[in-house]
Amino acid sequence: MTGGLNGGPGGPGGGPGAVALGGGHGLYASLSALRRVTSQLTAVVTVADDGGSSGRLRRELGVLPPGDLRMALAALCGDDEWGHTWSEVVQHRFRSEGELHGHAVGNLLIVALWEKLGDTVAGLDWLGRLLGAHGRVLPMCSVPLDIAAEVELDGEISTVRGQVACALTPGRVRAISLVPEDPPACPEAVRAVLDADWVVLGPGSWFTSVLPHLKVPELADALHSTRARRLVTLNLAPQPGETDDFSPQQHLEVLRRHAPALEIDVVLADTGVVDDRDELEKAAAALGGRLVLADVAAADGSPRHDARRLASVLDEIFHEKR
């Protein structure tokens, strides 16, 4: 199976080649919008989850945690009956008093395909074909990762390890690193970034979903050297336990500390969450980019991106209309 099988960069279809990096609900939001903008779409997904169904499968079978990969595939399902049905099926979790409790159907399908085919990327491609996914899903690394976070609490610095521990820490996360320190990048993910027209970082859990991509040497090199334009989509609310009390500009400052040489072309933020436009513009300019403010949040006031609003704005940015 080759690049573009499911409409990734280099594949058939219209729109710019786009690569979205992240994990969890943030990447789900990004992909739900991007699949409406381009048919040449690839998700590059974090593989550090150690909780829930993913953590159990990882510990028992030694596989990559499949949960964020599953969510990305679900986000790429279409709006027709086939897409809706399969999206709900792969997201379905068993409820029981036994061993299956909490396992997501999609996680089990992914791991079954990996065991059957002996190839991580091929397994994800096969499931993408079954779902009719509007894009391709790839892991950022070839091995499971742990996140180690430097945390400050009451003036003391300590290190916590594991994605769940990082997300739930009562202190403020200052920086993250990966274990192993120099993990092997997924070659197809590196190629997708190098071939892309646009690379999109965020939204999502900043320290555990967005920044880890910058700590994988081969992937970080590709992000720095690609000719693609780079866009950062900022969160609508701080992430409890990770970015409590962070302003939008602080998210960009943390990004700059983790990747000082990475240039960003566009920073996209929702109009309603920006209290100090001048400071945010300065933070974007420090990364080499410009600020775009738009109404991209859900109309019900919840801290969720509206897929259609976000798609409309991304389409305008990609075609230099905004």
Side-chain angles (χ1 to χ4, degrees):
M1 298 198 177
T2 59
L5 175 70
N6 295 317
V19 174
L21 295 89
H25 294 284
L27 182 60
Y28 186 97
S30 184
L31 294 174
S32 297
L34 284 166
R35 69 173 172 82
R36 292 173 162 87
V37 175
T38 178
S39 62
Q40 301 189 81
L41 176 58
T42 300
V44 177
V45 185
T46 53
V47 286
D49 192 3
D50 58 353
S53 172
S54 286
R56 290 160 61 191
L57 291 168
R58 172 180 175 171
R59 288 187 294 273
E60 183 172 342
L61 301 173
V63 296
L64 295 177
D68 285 354
L69 297 161
R70 179 202 80 243
M71 284 191 69
L73 284 164
L76 293 175
C77 288
D79 294 321
D80 56 0
E81 183 181 14
W82 184 274
H84 279 301
T85 300
W86 275 110
S87 178
E88 291 177 2
V89 168
V90 296
Q91 294 282 63
H92 176 76
R93 289 185 185 273
F94 294 104
R95 295 287 177 261
S96 73
E97 300 297 323
E99 293 295 322
L100 274 178
H101 179 74
H103 273 307
V105 172
N107 290 356
L108 302 178
L109 276 172
I110 289 170
V111 174
L113 282 162
W114 287 345
E115 291 194 347
K116 173 70 175 176
L117 300 172
D119 186 318
T120 300
V121 172
L124 294 168
D125 283 343
W126 272 96
L127 185 54
R129 290 172 65 184
L130 173 64
L131 304 183
H134 294 247
R136 195 180 195 199
V137 172
L138 299 168
M140 74 174 185
C141 279
S142 305
V143 298
L145 299 174
D146 279 329
I147 293 174
E150 181 183 289
V151 177
E152 180 179 359
L153 180 62
D154 298 329
E156 298 290 329
I157 304 295
S158 62
T159 300
V160 299
R161 179 166 167 171
Q163 181 170 313
V164 173
C166 294
L168 298 178
T169 179
R172 170 169 285 200
V173 178
R174 297 166 56 95
I176 60 112
S177 58
L178 298 180
V179 182
E181 188 175 348
D182 296 314
C186 171
E188 292 87 350
V190 172
R191 176 49 52 192
V193 169
L194 292 173
D195 289 347
D197 298 307
W198 282 89
V199 172
V200 179
L201 287 159
S205 302
W206 216 242
F207 287 100
T208 54
S209 291
V210 177
L211 297 180
H213 293 82
L214 302 170
K215 294 297 182 178
V216 179
E218 293 168 287
L219 189 57
D221 288 346
L223 287 168
H224 282 79
S225 63
T226 181
R227 290 176 293 178
R229 283 171 285 182
R230 306 169 189 87
L231 181 146
V232 171
T233 304
L234 290 175
N235 292 337
L236 298 172
Q239 181 80 10
E242 282 194 32
T243 54
D244 289 310
D245 303 322
F246 269 39
S247 65
Q249 51 267 28
Q250 281 177 292
H251 285 76
L252 297 183
E253 290 161 5
V254 168
L255 176 62
R256 189 180 180 197
R257 288 203 303 270
H258 280 75
L262 183 67
E263 292 189 355
I264 301 298
D265 296 276
V266 178
V267 173
L268 173 60
D270 182 71
T271 309
V273 303
V274 176
D275 293 327
D276 193 329
R277 177 171 182 158
D278 290 341
E279 286 301 311
L280 186 54
E281 284 183 336
K282 289 178 184 177
L287 290 166
R290 63 185 179 90
L291 175 66
V292 172
L293 291 181
D295 295 323
V296 291
D300 61 8
S302 63
R304 296 180 299 107
H305 286 85
D306 180 274
R308 295 187 184 280
R309 287 182 175 182
L310 182 57
S312 177
V313 174
L314 288 172
D315 187 61
E316 290 180 356
I317 292 171
F318 290 175
H319 291 93
E320 298 181 348
K321 297 178 181 178
R322 183 188 284 260

